[in-house]
Amino acid sequence: ADRLVVVGLSLAGVPLFTLEQTAAGVTVEGAALGRLPFDPAYILSDLQLVHWPGDVLGPALAARGLAVEERAGRRRVIDRDGRLLVEITYGRADDVTTLRHLDHPYGLCIEAIDGTAG
């Protein structure tokens, strides 16, 4: 309840980085950090886009000139000109949620695991 830990894996399942957010801030560790094409800390904003309630996310995005649309298992982030920037597709409870950035080619697949599994 007091921290968020994200482990980034390669397609082969090799750990690339570990990101941890606590009240003290964000730390990112991993041997592959210098070779990644992005800062893993940006994943935090993607997790917010995916998991924050729409009534909280909407005003936060509006302050930046963006809008959020939600319908039938999808969430979309639209810019002032109506261009689609981000599309999120929610899986069923046992499925993967996907996030696609259309403003730059980047995607994220989120599969929640049970933290009690060890």
Side-chain angles (χ1 to χ4, degrees):
D2 59 344
R3 69 185 183 130
L4 170 69
V5 177
V6 176
V7 177
L9 304 173
S10 73
L11 291 175
V14 176
L16 300 173
F17 63 87
T18 301
L19 179 145
E20 182 175 5
Q21 181 182 26
T22 65
V26 176
T27 58
V28 182
E29 298 175 349
L33 289 179
R35 298 185 307 271
L36 294 175
F38 64 94
D39 180 350
Y42 291 129
I43 292 174
L44 286 177
S45 63
D46 288 336
L47 291 173
Q48 292 166 340
L49 287 175
V50 169
H51 293 292
W52 277 15
D55 59 343
V56 173
L57 187 60
L61 291 175
R64 293 175 172 77
L66 304 172
V68 62
E69 297 176 350
E70 296 184 271
R71 53 179 102 126
R74 292 189 190 270
R75 178 178 278 177
R76 299 163 39 120
V77 177
I78 310 295
D79 72 6
R80 287 186 177 121
D81 298 323
R83 287 183 301 236
L84 177 62
L85 300 178
V86 178
E87 183 170 47
I88 300 160
T89 304
Y90 294 95
R92 297 180 315 270
D94 60 344
D95 209 356
V96 174
T97 296
T98 60
L99 175 142
R100 281 188 319 132
H101 280 271
L102 290 105
D103 52 343
H104 51 278
Y106 163 77
L108 184 64
C109 295
I110 301 170
E111 181 178 358
I113 59 171
D114 182 352
T116 61

